[in-house]
Amino acid sequence: MKKLTRVAAAALLACAVALPAATTATAVAATAADVPRADRIAATGPDRPAGRMAVPAPTGAYGVGSSVLHLVDRSRTDPWVPAADGRELMVTVHYPSARPAAGGRTPGRPAPYATRDEARLLLKAAAIEDPASIRRLERARAHSAVDVRPAPGRHPLVVLSPGFGMPRFTLTALAVDLASRGYVVASIDHAYESSGTSTPDGRVLTCVACTVMEESGWTEGALVSATRAADTRFVLDRLTGPRPAWRYASSVDRTRIGMAGHSIGGASAATAMASDRRIDAGVNMDGTFWDAPPADGLGGRPFLLLGTDGHRPGGEDTSWDSVWAALGGAKHWLTVDRADHLGFSDAPVLFDHFGIPGGGDLPAGRAVAVTRAYVAAFFDEHLRGREQPLLDGPDPSHPEVRFHRP
């Protein structure tokens, strides 16, 4: 296993976990100094907005439906809790709805952003424990309606994997936008790797992996990537196999599958592609690679690197240079000025709403817009065969984005 150079990092809202880096690179991630401390947060408390948190509305033509799946792979032992009954996953599936959104709202029962326990534990990690804030996050809505009928036809599938310590709902802004553009999107909570994951029977799975990684000296990043790759294979089996777990699985186009992730979730996209030929295209959003790409460079399948300025060629994280050189097929390397490590998730929106210092210098609205635009363009071109000029070079509508072709 590779060993982490000492760069402490934060999961969303200052979960006390780290984002791994190789011994040959310094990972670009939030350092311990970037973690919002209780005294800093308290000072901003009176200015926190009092209303319900709003996830940015999706931009596509479809309304959005959502389903939550509880999946257990009993063929595997959980690496973090070996006594558990298999490898347990919670998955949210967002998908295009048969009924268009009206005034930004998809007709039907609004889907929650997070459960109360998930909201409580995420905010607790940022030293926010007042009941009013927990209620605001619990009552946030995700611009989707629960289990509504999907739009006709078959739609490409995209799997999303969050950063280490971060719940799946922290990629909601991207998930609902992709769904509104006609994708089925499966966001995975990897068991015992998030601040808190609620299960249907009332249990809450907390970040046992955070403790294990810290005690091991952060040497097990490759184990995280390999475990998430196996999680992804299992989710694909349950969505596209002969006995699918999702009631609307016939909506999935099994011949067009992509994967994207944030931080180690993005690195895991490459690991998953290397072991599963069903995944046709992948995206790494600011994640340090733990594993070298296979000798065939992912078999010529396309890959997008989208990150902070520190991930530019020759930057602080040299794992991107190594992987880029090995990749075959269509590949794109983009960095975003003024973005920080968490800026490719919902973190900027949460930082703004709860008055938490940090989040980089790129405004939340721009951070969300840039991530949505380039991830969607990548999958539109490489899963749908629709040529995307946005991927060809700098665009005046996104002046923050830099293209690299070493």
Side-chain angles (χ1 to χ4, degrees):
M1 300 294 181
K2 302 174 184 176
K3 186 175 181 179
L4 177 70
T5 56
R6 182 54 187 154
V7 177
L12 183 66
L13 300 182
C15 287
V17 300
L19 299 164
T23 52
T24 57
T26 301
V28 180
T31 66
D34 296 322
V35 174
R37 308 298 300 181
D39 54 349
R40 295 169 63 198
I41 294 168
T44 64
D47 297 325
R48 294 177 194 151
R52 173 185 293 175
M53 191 194 82
V55 176
T59 61
Y62 290 98
V64 179
S66 67
S67 302
V68 175
L69 308 178
H70 178 224
L71 308 177
V72 183
D73 182 359
R74 292 188 172 86
S75 70
R76 290 188 288 151
T77 299
D78 191 286
W80 314 117
V81 182
D85 184 18
R87 178 69 173 165
E88 190 169 11
L89 306 173
M90 293 301 299
V91 179
T92 296
V93 181
H94 290 97
Y95 56 93
S97 166
R99 300 181 65 183
R105 180 181 178 275
T106 301
R109 178 162 59 92
Y113 184 72
T115 69
R116 182 170 183 79
D117 283 329
E118 290 168 343
R120 175 180 57 81
L121 289 168
L122 186 62
L123 292 179
K124 181 179 179 180
I128 298 176
E129 300 189 59
D130 63 285
S133 294
I134 296 170
R135 283 195 298 271
R136 291 209 305 275
L137 187 56
E138 177 193 10
R139 293 173 181 173
R141 292 296 178 260
H143 294 287
S144 63
V146 176
D147 291 331
V148 295
R149 187 164 53 89
R154 294 182 181 272
H155 310 281
L157 170 65
V158 174
V159 176
L160 295 183
S161 179
F164 191 68
M166 300 171 73
R168 70 189 188 281
F169 61 80
T170 59
L171 293 177
T172 296
L174 176 59
V176 296
D177 193 65
L178 286 171
S180 78
R181 296 170 184 250
Y183 291 88
V184 175
V185 184
S187 303
I188 304 175
D189 251 338
H190 304 277
Y192 305 107
E193 295 180 26
S194 83
S195 55
T197 300
S198 296
T199 63
D201 59 5
R203 291 174 297 121
V204 181
L205 312 183
T206 55
C207 197
V208 176
C210 298
T211 302
V212 174
M213 289 284 281
E214 185 174 7
E215 291 177 347
S216 71
W218 305 99
T219 59
E220 300 295 335
L223 173 60
V224 177
S225 293
T227 299
R228 291 188 175 205
D231 291 345
T232 301
R233 289 195 300 273
F234 178 66
V235 169
L236 292 181
D237 290 344
R238 301 298 286 126
L239 290 178
T240 67
R243 291 183 294 177
W246 182 42
R247 65 189 297 186
Y248 298 131
S250 60
S251 298
V252 175
D253 184 342
R254 302 174 186 177
T255 68
R256 295 183 292 172
I257 298 174
M259 182 175 177
H262 171 237
S263 192
I264 203 167
S268 299
T271 307
M273 288 178 70
S275 62
D276 196 325
R277 293 290 308 184
R278 291 175 294 182
I279 306 172
D280 301 301
V283 179
N284 178 358
M285 298 183 289
D286 213 56
T288 294
F289 289 100
W290 277 86
D291 303 307
D296 65 352
L298 299 180
R301 286 168 289 172
F303 205 85
L304 168 64
L305 300 173
L306 179 65
T308 55
D309 180 66
H311 275 117
R312 67 188 182 280
E316 296 173 85
D317 182 1
T318 59
S319 74
W320 280 34
D321 298 85
S322 300
V323 168
W324 176 264
L327 289 174
K331 54 185 180 178
H332 313 269
W333 186 342
L334 312 180
T335 56
V336 184
D337 291 346
R338 299 184 293 146
D340 79 341
H341 179 68
L342 297 178
F344 302 92
S345 68
D346 290 0
V349 177
L350 291 159
F351 279 129
D352 273 4
H353 182 79
F354 290 102
I356 298 173
D361 297 324
L362 191 64
R366 288 302 305 157
V368 170
V370 166
T371 300
R372 285 174 162 182
Y374 284 89
V375 173
F378 174 79
F379 285 129
D380 279 351
E381 180 158 303
H382 296 296
L383 294 184
R384 287 176 157 157
R386 301 174 182 173
E387 186 174 349
Q388 297 294 309
L390 191 63
L391 297 177
D392 294 338
D395 186 279
S397 63
H398 299 290
E400 309 91 344
V401 179
R402 300 280 179 265
F403 281 69
H404 307 283
R405 292 186 176 91

